[in-house]
Amino acid sequence: MGKKRPVIILILAFIWLFTTGCQPVAFTKIPDGASVLAVLNAREQTVSFLNAESGKNIATWKPDFTFARMLLTNSHTVLLYGKNAEDVRMLDMRTGKQTGVWKTGKGIANATLSTSGDEIYFADKLHGTVRIYTTAGQQKGEIKVGPSPFTMMEDKAHGKLYVMDLQDANMREIDLATSQVVRTFRLNESPMGGLLAADRDELWIGGHGRGDFPEKEVSVFSSETGQKLRNVHAPFMPVEFVRYGKDTLFVLSHGSNTLRRIAMDTGQSTGELVLGANPFGMVSDGQLLYITSYESNQIYVVDPKMMRTLKILRAGDGPIQMFVREGDGQ
């Protein structure tokens, strides 16, 4: 018996190491109280969580799985995914733990939360579809669109989803009640980034352009008819949009490193601000704008009324996407 005991202990130790090694790593908890700016750093494959008011780093998550983008689905749940990832991972900010793995397969290039908050639209570039999931991870439907869907905008009032295709440069309008594409209209080359102004029945569309002809304008379409209404000058490569109040739209052109404040009624610029190299992501907390500089690894905090930089925060390597999670004030 005495000889067997060390063997049994050794076996139990191996079992313990195997089972604990298979458990997902728990990351630093993100407290509910403070407003948080989350930043996806593409080159180093991390997510940084900063205090949105002070800019202080709260935590940095470095997952051991592949991901390229993220989506906040409620006050504490984050999805990490990417077109080269086999799975979508669900993590809880409150505990720092992984709470789900969705076996989607590769191809998920972008994701948008429905306005109701209970569904997620995935742009599947590998299969040329939009896949509709519940926030619990069950697929409800799949709709065939173009070869490379990316930007998606939901019109809740009319039950529509607008899907822009990077490759064939078409906008497809989906009737969500029937899961059918009911209209297609042509956009400029390599369209990317957009905003639905539902109260104005307008779609504001940006993009990269092609080769030696970078996109110089934002195209404004009627969401009712699909007809182009006008062009708004915003060189070069306008790709990010944030609406501010009823009549103001901020447009970020990463080809010229320029932020523009646009009066939506006239399409005229009412302010411009040059930022760091290759600004790519832009979000707002309702008061301030946060803009990533991909090349300089910085985040610019901008006063939208004064059009000036208030502070510059340090990010990880290659910041490209952000979200703001408002705190509970406690």
Side-chain angles (χ1 to χ4, degrees), residues 8 20 63 201 209 291:
I8 294 171
T20 55
D201 296 319
I291 298 167

Coordinates of all heavy atoms in Angstrom, one line a residue, residues 8 20 63 201 209 291:
I8 N -0.4 7.0 -6.8 CA -1.8 7.6 -6.8 C -1.7 9.1 -6.7 O -2.4 9.8 -7.4 CB -2.6 7.0 -5.6 CG1 -2.9 5.5 -5.9 CG2 -4.0 7.7 -5.5 CD1 -3.5 4.8 -4.7
T20 N -7.2 21.8 -14.8 CA -7.0 23.2 -14.6 C -6.4 23.8 -15.9 O -6.8 25.0 -16.2 CB -6.1 23.5 -13.4 OG1 -4.9 22.8 -13.6 CG2 -6.8 23.1 -12.1
P63 N -6.0 37.6 -24.6 CA -6.5 36.2 -24.9 C -5.5 35.4 -25.6 O -4.6 35.9 -26.4 CB -7.8 36.4 -25.7 CG -8.2 37.9 -25.4 CD -6.9 38.6 -25.2
D201 N -34.6 59.9 -43.0 CA -34.7 58.9 -44.1 C -33.5 59.0 -45.0 O -33.6 58.9 -46.2 CB -36.0 59.2 -44.9 CG -37.3 58.9 -44.1 OD1 -37.3 58.0 -43.3 OD2 -38.2 59.7 -44.3
G209 N -12.5 54.0 -51.6 CA -12.1 54.3 -52.9 C -11.3 53.1 -53.5 O -11.2 52.0 -52.9
I291 N -10.9 59.0 -30.4 CA -10.5 58.6 -31.7 C -9.1 57.9 -31.7 O -8.2 58.4 -31.0 CB -10.3 59.9 -32.6 CG1 -11.7 60.5 -32.8 CG2 -9.8 59.5 -34.0 CD1 -11.7 61.9 -33.4

